[in-house]
Amino acid sequence: MNTFTAGSRIRASRTEKRSYYRMRVKAQVSYQQQNMDEILIGECHDLSGGGLSFTTGSRVKPGERLNVRINSSDQRFQPLEACLEVLRVEMQNNRFLVAGSFTSVNS
């Protein structure tokens, strides 16, 4: 399901004002609300050095902190594991679109 590959070309417009460029990523993201045991699944849509967005069927609230994990389809690369602070949640096609910024990234 992952379409993220190392060495992929990234197109950036001159009007991009973000600190990090976004890459479109179609990959499964597993996440866990802090202080909860249940691991939930979503679909990542884009990823940058500063955060990510994904859709899920479970309600998430702005301000929540999530532990997120994205596995790579290439075994040479470690999974991305990070803490995400939820900044925005919108309804999109009967699912929740969650966007947030990384507060820490595990290496």
Side-chain angles (χ1 to χ4, degrees), residues 14-50:
R14 292 179 186 208
T15 59
E16 182 72 54
K17 298 195 186 329
R18 298 174 177 276
S19 298
Y20 301 99
Y21 293 114
R22 284 191 226 172
M23 295 183 297
R24 297 232 182 269
V25 176
K26 191 171 189 105
Q28 180 177 296
V29 59
S30 57
Y31 67 97
Q32 187 174 25
Q33 295 164 312
Q34 290 189 345
N35 302 319
M36 301 293 276
D37 292 330
E38 184 179 15
I39 296 175
L40 303 165
I41 302 296
E43 184 177 332
C44 184
H45 293 280
D46 64 51
L47 174 68
S48 76

Short mmCIF file of all heavy atoms in Angstrom, two decimals, residues 14-50:
data_model
loop_
_atom_site.label_atom_id
_atom_site.label_comp_id
_atom_site.label_asym_id
_atom_site.label_seq_id
_atom_site.Cartn_x
_atom_site.Cartn_y
_atom_site.Cartn_z
N ARG A 14 7.18 27.70 -6.22
CA ARG A 14 7.89 28.84 -5.66
C ARG A 14 7.07 29.57 -4.60
O ARG A 14 7.60 30.35 -3.85
CB ARG A 14 8.26 29.80 -6.78
CG ARG A 14 9.29 29.22 -7.69
CD ARG A 14 9.62 30.17 -8.79
NE ARG A 14 10.52 29.50 -9.71
CZ ARG A 14 11.39 30.12 -10.44
NH1 ARG A 14 11.47 31.43 -10.40
NH2 ARG A 14 12.18 29.44 -11.24
N THR A 15 5.76 29.30 -4.57
CA THR A 15 4.91 29.98 -3.59
C THR A 15 4.84 29.22 -2.27
O THR A 15 4.21 29.69 -1.35
CB THR A 15 3.48 30.15 -4.14
OG1 THR A 15 2.94 28.87 -4.44
CG2 THR A 15 3.49 31.02 -5.38
N GLU A 16 5.46 28.06 -2.18
CA GLU A 16 5.46 27.28 -0.94
C GLU A 16 6.18 28.07 0.14
O GLU A 16 7.32 28.46 -0.01
CB GLU A 16 6.16 25.94 -1.17
CG GLU A 16 6.18 25.03 0.01
CD GLU A 16 4.82 24.43 0.31
OE1 GLU A 16 4.23 23.83 -0.58
OE2 GLU A 16 4.37 24.57 1.46
N LYS A 17 5.50 28.34 1.25
CA LYS A 17 6.07 29.14 2.31
C LYS A 17 6.33 28.34 3.57
O LYS A 17 6.65 28.87 4.61
CB LYS A 17 5.13 30.31 2.62
CG LYS A 17 4.96 31.23 1.45
CD LYS A 17 4.35 32.54 1.88
CE LYS A 17 4.01 33.49 0.79
NZ LYS A 17 4.74 33.54 -0.38
N ARG A 18 6.19 27.04 3.49
CA ARG A 18 6.39 26.18 4.64
C ARG A 18 7.88 25.95 4.90
O ARG A 18 8.69 26.05 4.00
CB ARG A 18 5.72 24.83 4.41
CG ARG A 18 4.24 24.95 4.22
CD ARG A 18 3.64 23.61 3.85
NE ARG A 18 2.21 23.71 3.75
CZ ARG A 18 1.36 23.63 4.75
NH1 ARG A 18 1.81 23.43 5.97
NH2 ARG A 18 0.08 23.75 4.57
N SER A 19 8.20 25.58 6.13
CA SER A 19 9.58 25.25 6.46
C SER A 19 10.00 23.93 5.82
O SER A 19 11.17 23.72 5.52
CB SER A 19 9.74 25.15 7.97
OG SER A 19 9.45 26.39 8.58
N TYR A 20 9.02 23.03 5.63
CA TYR A 20 9.29 21.72 5.05
C TYR A 20 8.32 21.49 3.90
O TYR A 20 7.15 21.85 3.97
CB TYR A 20 9.06 20.61 6.09
CG TYR A 20 9.92 20.74 7.31
CD1 TYR A 20 9.43 21.30 8.48
CD2 TYR A 20 11.23 20.28 7.30
CE1 TYR A 20 10.22 21.42 9.61
CE2 TYR A 20 12.03 20.40 8.43
CZ TYR A 20 11.51 20.96 9.58
OH TYR A 20 12.29 21.06 10.69
N TYR A 21 8.79 20.88 2.84
CA TYR A 21 7.93 20.54 1.71
C TYR A 21 7.12 19.31 2.04
O TYR A 21 7.58 18.41 2.73
CB TYR A 21 8.76 20.29 0.45
CG TYR A 21 9.44 21.52 -0.04
CD1 TYR A 21 10.82 21.63 -0.03
CD2 TYR A 21 8.70 22.60 -0.51
CE1 TYR A 21 11.44 22.78 -0.47
CE2 TYR A 21 9.32 23.75 -0.96
CZ TYR A 21 10.69 23.83 -0.94
OH TYR A 21 11.30 24.96 -1.37
N ARG A 22 5.90 19.27 1.54
CA ARG A 22 5.03 18.11 1.73
C ARG A 22 5.26 17.12 0.60
O ARG A 22 5.42 17.49 -0.55
CB ARG A 22 3.57 18.52 1.67
CG ARG A 22 3.07 19.20 2.88
CD ARG A 22 1.58 19.28 2.78
NE ARG A 22 1.16 20.62 3.13
CZ ARG A 22 -0.05 21.06 3.00
NH1 ARG A 22 -0.99 20.30 2.50
NH2 ARG A 22 -0.36 22.27 3.36
N MET A 23 5.24 15.84 0.97
CA MET A 23 5.27 14.76 -0.02
C MET A 23 3.95 14.03 0.07
O MET A 23 3.47 13.76 1.17
CB MET A 23 6.40 13.75 0.30
CG MET A 23 7.77 14.31 0.19
SD MET A 23 9.02 13.04 0.48
CE MET A 23 8.69 12.59 2.16
N ARG A 24 3.36 13.74 -1.05
CA ARG A 24 2.15 12.91 -1.04
C ARG A 24 2.57 11.48 -0.74
O ARG A 24 3.45 10.94 -1.40
CB ARG A 24 1.46 12.97 -2.40
CG ARG A 24 0.99 14.36 -2.74
CD ARG A 24 -0.47 14.34 -3.13
NE ARG A 24 -0.93 15.65 -3.51
CZ ARG A 24 -1.46 16.52 -2.68
NH1 ARG A 24 -1.60 16.22 -1.42
NH2 ARG A 24 -1.86 17.70 -3.09
N VAL A 25 1.97 10.93 0.29
CA VAL A 25 2.31 9.58 0.73
C VAL A 25 1.01 8.81 0.90
O VAL A 25 0.11 9.26 1.60
CB VAL A 25 3.08 9.61 2.08
CG1 VAL A 25 3.33 8.20 2.58
CG2 VAL A 25 4.37 10.38 1.94
N LYS A 26 0.93 7.66 0.26
CA LYS A 26 -0.24 6.80 0.43
C LYS A 26 0.27 5.58 1.19
O LYS A 26 0.87 4.68 0.62
CB LYS A 26 -0.82 6.41 -0.92
CG LYS A 26 -2.16 5.75 -0.81
CD LYS A 26 -2.78 5.59 -2.20
CE LYS A 26 -4.18 5.12 -2.06
NZ LYS A 26 -5.15 6.17 -2.32
N ALA A 27 0.05 5.61 2.50
CA ALA A 27 0.56 4.54 3.36
C ALA A 27 -0.34 4.41 4.58
O ALA A 27 -0.99 5.36 5.00
CB ALA A 27 1.99 4.86 3.81
N GLN A 28 -0.34 3.22 5.14
CA GLN A 28 -1.09 3.00 6.38
C GLN A 28 -0.34 3.66 7.53
O GLN A 28 0.87 3.57 7.63
CB GLN A 28 -1.22 1.50 6.64
CG GLN A 28 -1.99 1.19 7.92
CD GLN A 28 -2.18 -0.29 8.11
OE1 GLN A 28 -2.84 -0.93 7.32
NE2 GLN A 28 -1.55 -0.83 9.14
N VAL A 29 -1.07 4.33 8.38
CA VAL A 29 -0.50 4.90 9.60
C VAL A 29 -1.23 4.27 10.78
O VAL A 29 -2.45 4.17 10.79
CB VAL A 29 -0.60 6.45 9.62
CG1 VAL A 29 -2.02 6.93 9.52
CG2 VAL A 29 0.03 7.02 10.89
N SER A 30 -0.46 3.77 11.74
CA SER A 30 -1.08 3.30 12.97
C SER A 30 -0.81 4.37 14.02
O SER A 30 0.23 5.02 14.01
CB SER A 30 -0.52 1.94 13.40
OG SER A 30 0.87 1.98 13.55
N TYR A 31 -1.80 4.59 14.85
CA TYR A 31 -1.64 5.63 15.86
C TYR A 31 -2.33 5.23 17.15
O TYR A 31 -3.22 4.39 17.17
CB TYR A 31 -2.16 6.98 15.35
CG TYR A 31 -3.65 7.05 15.14
CD1 TYR A 31 -4.49 7.58 16.11
CD2 TYR A 31 -4.23 6.58 13.97
CE1 TYR A 31 -5.85 7.66 15.92
CE2 TYR A 31 -5.60 6.65 13.77
CZ TYR A 31 -6.41 7.19 14.75
OH TYR A 31 -7.76 7.26 14.55
N GLN A 32 -1.85 5.83 18.20
CA GLN A 32 -2.36 5.54 19.54
C GLN A 32 -2.50 6.86 20.29
O GLN A 32 -1.56 7.66 20.32
CB GLN A 32 -1.36 4.63 20.25
CG GLN A 32 -1.79 4.09 21.55
CD GLN A 32 -0.78 3.08 22.07
OE1 GLN A 32 0.40 3.12 21.72
NE2 GLN A 32 -1.23 2.19 22.91
N GLN A 33 -3.68 7.10 20.82
CA GLN A 33 -3.86 8.28 21.64
C GLN A 33 -3.08 8.08 22.92
O GLN A 33 -3.08 6.98 23.49
CB GLN A 33 -5.34 8.52 21.90
CG GLN A 33 -6.09 8.85 20.61
CD GLN A 33 -7.59 8.73 20.75
OE1 GLN A 33 -8.08 7.73 21.26
NE2 GLN A 33 -8.30 9.74 20.29
N GLN A 34 -2.38 9.10 23.37
CA GLN A 34 -1.56 8.96 24.56
C GLN A 34 -2.43 8.58 25.75
O GLN A 34 -3.56 9.02 25.87
CB GLN A 34 -0.77 10.23 24.82
CG GLN A 34 0.31 10.40 23.78
CD GLN A 34 1.27 11.54 24.09
OE1 GLN A 34 1.00 12.40 24.92
NE2 GLN A 34 2.39 11.54 23.41
N ASN A 35 -1.93 7.72 26.57
CA ASN A 35 -2.61 7.17 27.76
C ASN A 35 -3.75 6.22 27.39
O ASN A 35 -4.63 5.96 28.20
CB ASN A 35 -3.12 8.29 28.68
CG ASN A 35 -2.02 9.19 29.15
OD1 ASN A 35 -0.93 8.72 29.47
ND2 ASN A 35 -2.26 10.48 29.15
N MET A 36 -3.78 5.71 26.17
CA MET A 36 -4.78 4.73 25.72
C MET A 36 -4.03 3.50 25.22
O MET A 36 -2.92 3.60 24.74
CB MET A 36 -5.64 5.30 24.60
CG MET A 36 -6.41 6.57 24.97
SD MET A 36 -7.66 6.30 26.20
CE MET A 36 -8.98 5.73 25.19
N ASP A 37 -4.67 2.34 25.32
CA ASP A 37 -4.04 1.10 24.89
C ASP A 37 -4.35 0.74 23.44
O ASP A 37 -3.55 0.09 22.77
CB ASP A 37 -4.49 -0.07 25.78
CG ASP A 37 -3.96 0.05 27.20
OD1 ASP A 37 -2.86 0.62 27.38
OD2 ASP A 37 -4.64 -0.43 28.12
N GLU A 38 -5.50 1.17 22.94
CA GLU A 38 -5.96 0.77 21.61
C GLU A 38 -5.11 1.41 20.50
O GLU A 38 -4.85 2.61 20.52
CB GLU A 38 -7.42 1.16 21.43
CG GLU A 38 -8.01 0.69 20.13
CD GLU A 38 -9.47 1.06 19.99
OE1 GLU A 38 -9.96 1.91 20.75
OE2 GLU A 38 -10.12 0.49 19.11
N ILE A 39 -4.69 0.58 19.54
CA ILE A 39 -3.97 1.06 18.36
C ILE A 39 -4.98 1.17 17.24
O ILE A 39 -5.68 0.21 16.91
CB ILE A 39 -2.81 0.13 17.99
CG1 ILE A 39 -1.78 0.12 19.12
CG2 ILE A 39 -2.19 0.56 16.66
CD1 ILE A 39 -0.65 -0.86 18.93
N LEU A 40 -5.06 2.37 16.64
CA LEU A 40 -6.01 2.65 15.58
C LEU A 40 -5.28 2.78 14.25
O LEU A 40 -4.06 3.01 14.23
CB LEU A 40 -6.78 3.93 15.90
CG LEU A 40 -7.52 3.90 17.24
CD1 LEU A 40 -7.96 5.29 17.65
CD2 LEU A 40 -8.71 2.96 17.15
N ILE A 41 -6.01 2.65 13.16
CA ILE A 41 -5.41 2.66 11.83
C ILE A 41 -6.02 3.79 11.01
O ILE A 41 -7.22 4.03 11.06
CB ILE A 41 -5.65 1.31 11.10
CG1 ILE A 41 -5.07 0.15 11.91
CG2 ILE A 41 -5.07 1.34 9.69
CD1 ILE A 41 -3.57 0.17 12.08
N GLY A 42 -5.19 4.45 10.23
CA GLY A 42 -5.62 5.48 9.30
C GLY A 42 -4.83 5.36 8.02
O GLY A 42 -4.00 4.47 7.87
N GLU A 43 -5.10 6.27 7.10
CA GLU A 43 -4.37 6.31 5.83
C GLU A 43 -3.68 7.65 5.70
O GLU A 43 -4.33 8.70 5.68
CB GLU A 43 -5.30 6.08 4.64
CG GLU A 43 -4.53 6.02 3.35
CD GLU A 43 -5.40 5.72 2.15
OE1 GLU A 43 -6.45 5.07 2.32
OE2 GLU A 43 -5.04 6.16 1.06
N CYS A 44 -2.35 7.62 5.63
CA CYS A 44 -1.55 8.83 5.49
C CYS A 44 -1.76 9.41 4.09
O CYS A 44 -1.84 8.66 3.11
CB CYS A 44 -0.08 8.50 5.72
SG CYS A 44 0.98 9.95 5.68
N HIS A 45 -1.86 10.74 4.02
CA HIS A 45 -2.02 11.42 2.74
C HIS A 45 -0.81 12.25 2.36
O HIS A 45 -0.40 12.26 1.21
CB HIS A 45 -3.27 12.31 2.76
CG HIS A 45 -4.51 11.51 2.84
ND1 HIS A 45 -5.07 10.90 1.76
CD2 HIS A 45 -5.28 11.17 3.91
CE1 HIS A 45 -6.15 10.25 2.14
NE2 HIS A 45 -6.29 10.38 3.44
N ASP A 46 -0.26 12.97 3.32
CA ASP A 46 0.97 13.68 3.04
C ASP A 46 1.83 13.75 4.29
O ASP A 46 1.36 13.59 5.41
CB ASP A 46 0.73 15.06 2.41
CG ASP A 46 0.00 16.04 3.30
OD1 ASP A 46 0.41 16.22 4.45
OD2 ASP A 46 -0.97 16.63 2.83
N LEU A 47 3.11 13.96 4.03
CA LEU A 47 4.12 13.89 5.08
C LEU A 47 5.15 14.97 4.80
O LEU A 47 5.51 15.19 3.64
CB LEU A 47 4.77 12.50 5.04
CG LEU A 47 5.95 12.20 5.94
CD1 LEU A 47 5.52 12.18 7.40
CD2 LEU A 47 6.55 10.86 5.56
N SER A 48 5.62 15.62 5.85
CA SER A 48 6.72 16.58 5.70
C SER A 48 7.63 16.42 6.90
O SER A 48 7.35 15.63 7.81
CB SER A 48 6.18 18.01 5.63
OG SER A 48 5.78 18.47 6.91
N GLY A 49 8.70 17.19 6.92
CA GLY A 49 9.60 17.15 8.06
C GLY A 49 8.96 17.70 9.32
O GLY A 49 9.44 17.47 10.42
N GLY A 50 7.83 18.42 9.17
CA GLY A 50 7.20 19.04 10.31
C GLY A 50 5.94 18.36 10.80
O GLY A 50 5.47 18.62 11.90
#
